[in-house]
Structures are given as structure tokens and as C-alpha cells.
Amino acid sequence: MEMQDTNASEETGLCLLSEDYKQIYLPLTYSIIFVLGLPLNGAVLWLSWRQTKRWSCATIYLVNLMVADLLYVLTLPFLIVTYSLGDWWPFGELLCRLVRFLFYTNLYGSILLLTCISVHRFLGVCHPLRSLPYRTRRHALRGAAATWALVVLQLLPTLGFSHTDYIHGQMVCYDMTGQENFDQFFAYSMVLTLSGFVLPSLVILVCYSLMVRSLAKPAETLVGAGTTIRAKSIRTILLVCSLFALCFVPFHVSRSFYITLRFLMSQDCRLLTVASAAYKVWRPLVSMSCCLNPVLYFLSVGKNGVRLFRKLRHDKVGEHPAGGERGRARGGQIWAVSR
């Protein structure tokens, strides 16, 4: 939940903002994300676990991305209940801090992991031979571990800023912080936006610009970049750019604009109302990345995902009494040939 606008307005002498729409809009959008995100991310993790070959570098990054999504999706029922009850938080202080922390962990963890995937794809397309020593599973594991460590370190302050409080006798859970700490939160938020969003976005932009220039060359001039690699690279560029355009960019622009107005103590009630509504509309939509990230996995694995589904389906038939040992053998044979 965002900083309570009713309470903040009374303390600072600003506008009294109506947020009745949140009781319908937020539970609805969070419910849709939960219904879609839980099975999609769960399916990706299950398929990755069941695949027989060793995980590639891209799969390592994508599995970590699904883990971040799943951790956040599992917190959505708490938010659905809270907003359905009119911002009343009945789950206590610890869960309040944890839910807020996991939201930002998912957000900035997703951005950094997408950056790792983009850099990995850039090296494979633009420097396929020179980058071979760096495009290994060991480096991918180290990159994923470093990403988690960096994200946790960046977001530790959110555990202190977010907390519960009583407003008009009702317990609420601050997403930002109380009015007394808002100046410190504003400075921290700007630094986090720069380090967690702007800089990774610039890295992705540079990587994709160089990739597009390289992929635009005739196929015969690209060393080691066959049709499959070109197709995967193009799909990755399109999907990641869509994720940023639909989820990350609007959220950070609206959020930065909103908290800047709050920091400057703007007296323009109409502008403040629009900024507040824009931020609260885009806040759940940034979580749509939890539903779109699994698509990146299936685009990355390509036909291997279909083959794995086919293998698992035949395994299920083989385990059925009517299938017997013949069904299991046939499923295994198909997988051996298809792989």
C-alpha cells in the first residue's frame, strides 16, 4: 500500500485525495496476476527441474527470474485481502515489511536478471568467439548470485521504511513510509531508481542497439550466428523491450513524479490527484511482468519446451496401468529421438 494520502494530506496541509477506486481496481488486478502468474511460473520451474540436459546460461538466469516472480506472486493474497477491506492490514508488522520487501525484490531483481540475459545474448551475437570463456555456467551462476546479493543490499532500507501504523483507528501497512521520514525516503528512492532501473536500462539499450546493428548484416557475415540464434535474439529483444515499455518505464516515471510532488509539497491539488492516480494505476501493472517473464523462457527454449511437454505427457501415459511398460518405453524413445 502506498503512503496513506488521507493522513499525509492532513499533516502537510495538502489535498485530500479520494482513493475509493483502489478497493475494486487493486484486488481485481492483483487477483488476475495471481491466477496467471502462479501456474505460469510454477510450470516453468517444474519444466526446468524435469529437463534432462544441463541448464544453459540463459536457463540459469531465467529460473532465477521465475523464483523471484513466484516469491512475489505468493504475497499477492495478502494485498488482495487488504485492499478488499479498504486498506486495513490485519497481518501484523513482520508480514507488512516482508510483503513490501518482496515486491521491490521482484521488481529490481527482474530488471537486473533481464540485464544479465541481455548482456549474455549480446556477447553471443556480437562477440561469439571472444566471449566463449565468459559465457559459461559457472559465470552464469556467479552472475545470478551477485544479482541477488546486490538486490538484497539495495533494498534493505525498505525493511526500515515500510511499517504498520494506525490511521483513524485502522491499521495500515506503509509501502513508502510515514510523513516524518519522507525526506530520507525520497533521497533513497531516487538513488534506487538510478541504480536499479536507469543504469540497467542504459546497459540493455546499448546491448540491443549493437545487437540490432549486428543482426542487420547479411547472415553469411555473422560468425557463429545461425538462423536459430538470430531468431532467439530478435524474440528476446522484442519481449524485453515490451516488458520495459509496458511495465517498468511507466511505473518508474509515474512513481518518481508522484513522490517528487510530495517532496516539494505541491499545492496543486489537481496535479497531485492525477500523479497519485497514475502511480497507483501503474503499481499493480508493473507486476504483470510476473506473467510475461515465463513467455521469455518458452521463447528461449524454443522447440525444446514442446518436446519436454511431449515427453512428460508420454511419461504420464506410461505410468497409467493401461499404458504399462510399453507406454513408458515409447515415451522415452520419442524423447531420445526428438532431443
Side-chain angles (χ1 to χ4, degrees), residues 146-254:
T147 295
W148 282 107
L150 179 59
V151 168
V152 169
L153 288 175
Q154 282 183 312
L155 297 177
L156 281 178
T158 63
L159 293 173
F161 284 120
S162 58
H163 63 278
T164 59
D165 200 356
Y166 285 93
I167 296 180
H168 304 309
Q170 176 175 294
M171 179 178 283
V172 297
C173 175
Y174 286 104
D175 167 51
M176 294 185 179
T177 191
Q179 186 63 30
E180 65 278 3
N181 297 319
F182 192 75
D183 289 354
Q184 296 93 320
F185 174 81
F186 173 78
Y188 165 71
S189 180
M190 291 295 102
V191 172
L192 180 62
T193 299
L194 179 63
S195 63
F197 170 69
V198 175
L199 292 181
S201 299
L202 291 176
V203 172
I204 291 176
L205 183 62
V206 171
C207 287
Y208 285 172
S209 299
L210 295 175
M211 286 173 63
V212 168
R213 188 176 67 176
S214 180
L215 292 170
K217 298 178 181 178
E220 58 271 13
T221 65
L222 299 178
V223 180
T227 304
T228 302
I229 295 178
R230 289 167 63 94
K232 284 185 178 181
S233 300
I234 293 172
R235 290 195 296 261
T236 300
I237 292 173
L238 292 176
L239 183 58
V240 173
C241 289
S242 299
L243 275 170
F244 273 78
L246 296 174
C247 300
F248 303 135
V249 172
F251 170 79
H252 282 91
V253 170
S254 60

Side-chain angles (χ1 to χ4, degrees), residues 72 99-110 151 155 158 175-176 185 192 251 255 279 283:
Y72 172 65
V99 167
R100 303 312 182 189
F101 177 77
L102 288 178
F103 167 76
Y104 289 106
T105 298
N106 168 254
L107 173 61
Y108 292 108
S110 296
V151 168
L155 297 177
T158 63
D175 167 51
M176 294 185 179
F185 174 81
L192 180 62
F251 170 79
R255 183 175 185 270
Y279 168 59
R283 177 177 164 78

Side-chain angles (χ1 to χ4, degrees), residues 43-63:
V44 169
L45 291 177
W46 182 64
L47 289 173
S48 301
W49 180 261
R50 291 295 301 269
Q51 76 176 33
T52 55
K53 64 179 183 179
R54 298 179 69 189
W55 288 356
S56 65
C57 296
T59 301
I60 290 173
Y61 290 127
L62 288 167
V63 166

Side-chain angles (χ1 to χ4, degrees), residues 12-145:
T12 59
L14 299 178
C15 313
L16 186 65
L17 306 180
S18 173
E19 296 187 323
D20 293 339
Y21 64 91
K22 292 199 306 184
Q23 298 182 30
I24 299 175
Y25 172 70
L26 293 181
L28 178 61
T29 51
Y30 282 134
S31 296
I32 294 173
I33 294 169
F34 179 77
V35 169
L36 294 176
L38 185 62
L40 284 173
N41 288 279
V44 169
L45 291 177
W46 182 64
L47 289 173
S48 301
W49 180 261
R50 291 295 301 269
Q51 76 176 33
T52 55
K53 64 179 183 179
R54 298 179 69 189
W55 288 356
S56 65
C57 296
T59 301
I60 290 173
Y61 290 127
L62 288 167
V63 166
N64 279 272
L65 189 60
M66 300 308 113
V67 170
D69 288 343
L70 199 58
L71 287 174
Y72 172 65
V73 166
L74 292 175
T75 69
L76 291 180
F78 299 103
L79 297 178
I80 294 170
V81 170
T82 295
Y83 290 119
S84 298
L85 296 175
D87 284 349
W88 175 48
W89 180 263
F91 304 109
E93 180 80 18
L94 180 61
L95 275 176
C96 169
R97 296 177 187 267
L98 181 62
V99 167
R100 303 312 182 189
F101 177 77
L102 288 178
F103 167 76
Y104 289 106
T105 298
N106 168 254
L107 173 61
Y108 292 108
S110 296
I111 292 174
L112 286 181
L113 286 168
L114 288 172
T115 304
C116 292
I117 293 171
S118 302
V119 171
H120 175 78
R121 186 68 69 189
F122 158 74
L123 293 175
V125 170
C126 298
H127 306 283
L129 299 181
R130 284 192 297 170
S131 65
L132 278 176
Y134 306 102
R135 290 187 292 119
T136 63
R137 295 179 72 256
R138 176 178 296 180
H139 282 87
L141 290 170
R142 290 177 177 175

Side-chain angles (χ1 to χ4, degrees), residues 307 332-339:
R307 293 167 182 168
Q333 184 180 4
I334 289 177
W335 172 243
V337 173
S338 300
R339 185 174 60 178

